[in-house]
Amino acid sequence: MKMQGKVALVIGGSSGLGRASAEACAEEGATIVIGDINQSRSEEVLDGIRARGGKGAFIHTDAMNEELVKAAVAYCVSEYGSLDILVNSAGAPTTPDDAGWHFQIDMYLKGPYYACRAALPVMEKQGGGSIINIGSLSSVTGSLAGKIEGTGYPAAKHAIMGITKTLAIANGKHNIRINTVCPGYIKTELTRPLYEKEDGGARLINETLKVPMRRWGEPHEIGKAVAFLASDDASFITGQSLIVDGGFMAR
């Protein structure tokens, strides 16, 4: 119970990597606040957390709406007295066109910016905290965008590393740590079309990508990495990108 007494706001916690992060932090004793647009799925996650002895709440939050993000941070403080951990994990499928480009920038760059902007003064006032941004392999390498309209996602994910490093430098003196987890190919709703093929996505993993561990990653493996960075076990780690990819980037 390394996070006993701590409050974690997980934006995008109703599914995928956000859900796994919420569950992993709850297992370590944190009170979980899920900020999401999907209340029913969020309550399902919270029901599971409560069934295992944890506690938490839902607050309607659109990661791309700064006022709603501010309200989620304020809710944590008013309801539970603090905000110790922030996880930025919101995501959604988009189209590879101009509208999709702007959506990706709004979702994957502006969203975490809004959340960090709201959370940092709270964490500074209370004497510390931990922020974990969910990045991507596209945070540390280029991607096959195909055409310029497809560059929104890698542009945003690269920028998240810039935000992470810059804020880590600026806020280290306040005992606030900011890190990024960069997942590889993980089984989530967004990657379902890839791993639900007839071969279970094996050809992509083993022949095209040549992932050394020769399998897909599971959401809980990202959640555990997030929980580690959120905990005091990572007390001297800040401004870093933790790549969790089965060895893919080792090539």
Side-chain angles (χ1 to χ4, degrees), residues 3-226:
M3 300 179 200
Q4 189 74 41
K6 294 188 176 183
V7 178
L9 171 60
V10 183
I11 298 180
S14 71
S15 63
L17 305 183
R19 175 175 185 160
S21 299
E23 292 172 340
C25 289
E27 286 178 8
E28 294 294 348
T31 296
I32 305 299
V33 176
I34 295 180
D36 204 285
I37 60 173
N38 192 321
Q39 182 170 359
S40 61
R41 292 185 68 167
S42 297
E43 292 293 354
E44 178 185 326
V45 176
L46 289 166
D47 285 344
I49 288 173
R50 294 181 188 114
R52 293 187 291 274
K55 55 185 177 179
F58 165 81
I59 182 168
H60 176 77
T61 310
D62 181 343
M64 299 183 290
N65 185 315
E66 186 170 13
E67 293 307 311
L68 291 179
V69 171
K70 286 181 181 178
V73 170
Y75 174 83
C76 293
V77 177
S78 63
E79 192 71 17
Y80 298 107
S82 69
L83 174 60
D84 306 288
I85 299 159
L86 168 65
V87 181
N88 286 310
S89 185
T94 55
T95 53
D97 55 20
D98 189 56
W101 191 94
H102 287 281
F103 180 91
Q104 289 172 334
I105 295 297
D106 288 345
M107 172 68 76
Y108 297 111
L109 178 54
K110 290 184 180 179
Y113 166 76
Y114 295 149
C116 290
R117 187 178 185 182
L120 283 169
V122 173
M123 291 182 173
E124 179 180 348
K125 184 177 180 180
Q126 68 190 23
S130 178
I131 297 174
I132 300 96
N133 296 313
I134 299 298
S136 164
L137 296 184
S138 293
S139 296
V140 292
T141 186
S143 65
L144 297 174
K147 55 182 181 177
I148 193 167
E149 289 82 6
T151 60
Y153 183 82
K157 292 299 186 178
H158 263 71
I160 284 301
M161 280 309 307
I163 287 176
T164 294
K165 291 178 179 181
T166 302
L167 291 180
I169 293 170
N171 291 278
K173 61 181 176 290
H174 302 306
N175 193 35
I176 302 171
R177 299 182 297 104
I178 301 100
N179 293 287
T180 299
V181 172
C182 297
Y185 286 79
I186 311 296
K187 288 184 176 180
T188 68
E189 290 297 319
L190 295 181
T191 59
R192 185 177 295 277
L194 299 176
Y195 66 79
E196 283 197 342
K197 291 186 175 181
E198 187 175 343
D199 68 346
R203 182 175 180 180
L204 173 66
I205 294 298
N206 297 322
E207 297 180 24
T208 304
L209 300 173
K210 296 182 172 62
V211 175
M213 293 194 72
R214 301 183 64 81
R215 67 174 177 86
W216 284 82
E218 298 292 340
H220 75 268
E221 293 176 302
I222 303 302
K224 293 290 187 182
V226 169

